[in-house]
């Protein structure tokens, strides 16, 4: 019996272990940290061998194949040793993809992945598709393959998940954008990060489809120099395209050859330029999957925004509070600030991932009246934005950040939490950061 070792006991790892057991492998799961109670109980109930708070290397090195959590970098010594022993190390996505014949729509990009994935899942669900939602969002892909019989999967995929694929092949691949992010995992080389994102197309054939942003310089540059076999369907905010989607002054136009859909931008549920792009990407995929025209229009106008992504929280004494905690890089924050239509008090900061804030200085000058830096180390932010706005101050506590921002705001202003950084200096996750923001706003 072949032995599968799963590294990481979270949603992804436990799902992979369940599928491996179902497919008849001997399974051992190992997590260097503490496994959450709900996952531990699942492993115990199913009789899956596991350990926590350590890695027993002698057991791990007995593996025929290792399924690695996306949170574990390839540079870790144990992973390097596995590779030197020629033991394959793959992602849960690669493993699960082997055991399903469902159609797969995979979505990646530096920003907008969760929104676009959730939107497309909603569109398909509303039109009666038998569809699962997974990858970097929702329930583990492998877990669903083990226990459900979906005909379609909409998967949000991070670059870390794509790094672990070998033969995984989506029927429809969507690449929304590529801007600097996670460069600490890619030797601070942008080309390595771009390579990682383009892995989503590497196994596609002429029968498959590739939806991408024609406005993104990194994508356009790579498309010119790289042979992509799949059929290309671009979307653009800047120019007309023949097969894909584009915008006029007031409308989006989705053209899939056999059908053309026109919809007013004001009727879209998701507003802001970046969200128009996300809606076009999801709309192209939906039309290629033969979603009914009226159903698609209804879904694009009725969809509710994802939590922690430009989420309206409350209006207090005329000041609007918006939670954009999911903005963990500079480009995501650029989109958020660009969509602000009133003077903004900006809460920013956290764990810096090699950020270059200079690209948003002009936008901050035009949109932001005051900055509250929220992090353990705010030096880089203070040095970059000192003098750019009339007020800049710092704190390492969410309660103080919200109260400072409230004090700096006036009727008609917006307080925007859009950190441009990871959350792990002060919070467990971006969700935790966003939830604490909302809690403190409610206490004002």
């Amino acid at each position: 019996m072949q032995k599968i070792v799963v590294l990481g006991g979270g949603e992804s790892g436990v799902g992979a272990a369940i599928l491996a057991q179902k497919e008849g492998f001997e399974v051992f799961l190992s997590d260097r940290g503490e496994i959450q109670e709900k996952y531990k109980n699942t492993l115990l109930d199913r009789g899956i061998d596991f350990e926590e708070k350590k890695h027993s290397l002698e057991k791990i090195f007995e593996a025929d194949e290792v399924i690695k959590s996306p949170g574990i970098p390839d540079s870790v010594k144990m992973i390097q040793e596995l590779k030197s022993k020629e033991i394959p190390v793959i992602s849960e996505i690669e493993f699960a993809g082997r055991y399903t014949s469902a159609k797969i729509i995979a979505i990646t990009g530096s920003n907008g992945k969760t929104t676009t994935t959730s939107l497309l899942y909603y569109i398909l669900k509303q039109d009666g598709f038998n569809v699962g939602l997974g990858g970097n969002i929702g329930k583990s892909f492998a877990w669903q393959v083990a226990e459900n019989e979906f005909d379609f999967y909409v998967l949000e995929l991070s670059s870390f998940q794509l790094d672990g694929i070998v033969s995984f092949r989506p029927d429809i691949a969507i690449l929304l954008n590529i801007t600097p992010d996670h460069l600490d995992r890619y030797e601070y080389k942008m080309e390595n990060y771009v390579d990682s994102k383009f892995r989503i197309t590497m196994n596609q054939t002429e029968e498959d489809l590739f939806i991408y942003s024609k406005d993104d310089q990194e994508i356009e540059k790579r498309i010119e120099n790289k042979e992509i076999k799949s059929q290309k369907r671009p979307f653009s905010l800047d120019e007309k395209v023949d097969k894909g989607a584009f915008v006029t002054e007031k409308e989006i136009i989705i053209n899939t050859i056999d059908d053309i859909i026109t919809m007013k931008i004001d009727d879209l549920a998701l507003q802001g330029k970046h969200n128009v792009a996300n809606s076009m990407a999801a709309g192209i995929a939906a039309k290629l999957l033969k979603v009914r025209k009226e159903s698609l229009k209804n879904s694009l106008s009725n969809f509710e925004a994802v939590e922690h992504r430009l989420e309206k929280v409350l209006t207090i004494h005329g000041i609007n509070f918006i939670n954009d905690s999911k903005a963990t890089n500079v480009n995501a924050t650029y989109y958020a600030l660009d969509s602000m239509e009133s003077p903004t008090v900006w809460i920013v900061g956290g764990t810096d991932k090699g950020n270059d804030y200079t690209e948003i200085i002009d936008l901050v000058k035009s949109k932001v009246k005051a900055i509250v830096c929220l992090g353990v180390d705010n030096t880089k932010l203070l040095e970059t934005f000192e003098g750019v706005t009339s007020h800049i101050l710092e704190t390492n506590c969410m309660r103080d950040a919200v109260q400072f921002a409230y004090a700096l705001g006036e009727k008609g202003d917006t307080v925007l939490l859009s950190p441009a950084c990871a959350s792990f200096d002060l919070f467990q996750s971006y969700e935790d950061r966003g939830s604490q923001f909302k809690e403190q706003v409610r206490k004002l």
Side-chain angles (χ1 to χ4, degrees), residues 104-359:
I104 293 173
I105 305 95
I107 299 166
T108 196
S110 303
N111 298 295
K113 292 188 296 295
T114 302
T115 297
T116 307
T117 305
S118 303
L119 173 58
L120 181 55
Y121 172 71
Y122 176 77
I123 291 168
L124 298 181
K125 211 51 186 154
Q126 292 299 108
D127 201 49
F129 281 60
N130 177 30
V131 58
L133 172 72
N136 212 27
I137 183 177
K139 196 168 183 179
S140 151
F141 178 35
W143 203 326
Q144 293 179 81
V145 169
E147 296 189 341
N148 300 100
E149 293 289 337
F150 290 120
D151 298 320
F152 297 83
Y153 284 100
V154 182
L155 303 178
E156 175 191 333
L157 299 184
S158 69
S159 55
F160 304 157
Q161 288 167 313
L162 290 168
D163 289 337
I165 67 169
V166 181
S167 57
F168 174 78
R169 174 192 153 201
D171 298 271
I172 299 177
I174 300 178
L175 179 50
L176 297 166
N177 46 58
I178 306 178
T179 56
D181 196 12
H182 303 297
L183 294 188
D184 49 335
R185 283 274 289 257
Y186 294 99
E187 301 174 5
Y188 293 94
K189 292 178 182 173
M190 186 65 179
E191 62 267 30
N192 293 353
Y193 179 55
V194 176
D195 286 345
S196 178
K197 287 297 187 192
F198 265 89
R199 289 175 69 82
I200 200 168
T201 66
M202 74 181 191
N203 296 311
Q204 285 195 302
T205 69
E206 292 85 352
E207 296 171 15
D208 303 317
L209 292 137
F210 177 43
I211 299 168
Y212 66 94
S213 169
K214 193 168 174 52
D215 305 333
D216 190 288
Q217 290 181 344
E218 292 290 350
I219 296 175
E220 278 289 282
K221 195 163 51 178
R222 185 58 63 95
I223 282 175
E224 286 170 12
N225 301 326
K226 187 180 176 76
E227 187 182 327
I228 292 171
K229 293 177 181 173
S230 43
Q231 302 169 47
K232 300 179 189 67
R233 295 291 183 270
F235 58 90
S236 175
L237 294 167
D238 299 333
E239 59 182 281
K240 184 177 178 179
V241 301
D242 291 332
K243 302 175 190 175
F246 62 96
V247 297
T248 61
E249 198 173 315
K250 293 183 177 178
E251 294 176 322
I252 64 166
I253 295 170
I254 300 168
N255 178 9
T256 55
I257 306 173
D258 58 335
D259 202 3
I260 295 177
I261 288 182
T262 303
M263 190 168 173
K264 287 180 181 170
I265 290 170
D266 286 347
D267 290 341
L268 295 172
L270 299 173
Q271 291 294 307
K273 285 182 190 173
H274 60 300
N275 276 326
V276 172
N278 295 337
S279 296
M280 285 195 291
I284 295 169
K287 278 312 298 168
L288 291 169
L289 292 167
K290 310 294 185 193
V291 170
R292 291 170 297 132
K293 187 183 284 190
E294 283 312 306
S295 176
L296 174 55
K297 284 187 171 185
N298 287 338
S299 293
L300 286 172
S301 60
N302 295 334
F303 178 71
E304 291 184 10
V306 174
E307 189 179 14
H308 308 298
R309 173 61 89 201
L310 286 174
E311 177 193 7
K312 292 174 182 175
V313 182
L314 282 175
T315 300
I316 300 174
H317 294 134
I319 300 172
N320 298 309
F321 287 82
I322 294 179
N323 167 29
D324 194 42
S325 181
K326 201 172 188 306
T328 60
N329 59 50
V330 173
N331 198 248
T333 292
Y334 178 94
Y335 288 138
L337 289 172
D338 191 45
S339 68
M340 292 298 106
E341 294 180 353
S342 58
T344 301
V345 181
W346 176 33
I347 302 175
V348 57
T351 305
D352 189 292
K353 297 181 285 186
N355 290 351
D356 178 8
Y357 298 109
T358 57
E359 60 194 63

Side-chain angles (χ1 to χ4, degrees), residues 10 21 95 109 146 227 330 414:
Q21 183 190 54
F95 186 66
E227 187 182 327
V330 173
T414 297

Side-chain angles (χ1 to χ4, degrees), residues 30-83:
S30 176
D31 194 316
R32 195 178 65 179
E34 192 171 347
I35 299 174
Q36 283 183 43
E37 205 65 32
K38 63 176 180 177
Y39 293 129
K40 209 185 301 187
N41 289 336
T42 297
L43 294 167
L44 288 167
D45 289 347
R46 293 166 186 260
I48 296 172
D49 188 17
F50 72 94
E51 66 179 1
E52 60 181 335
K53 301 179 187 174
K54 63 177 179 178
H55 284 316
S56 299
L57 295 181
E58 68 283 357
K59 289 189 79 169
I60 291 168
F61 291 146
E62 289 172 356
D64 292 296
E65 192 166 46
V66 170
I67 302 169
K68 174 179 77 70
S69 160
I72 302 171
D74 287 339
S75 56
V76 168
K77 186 182 176 188
M78 177 176 60
I79 304 300
Q80 294 295 316
E81 286 185 43
L82 282 164
K83 290 185 175 180

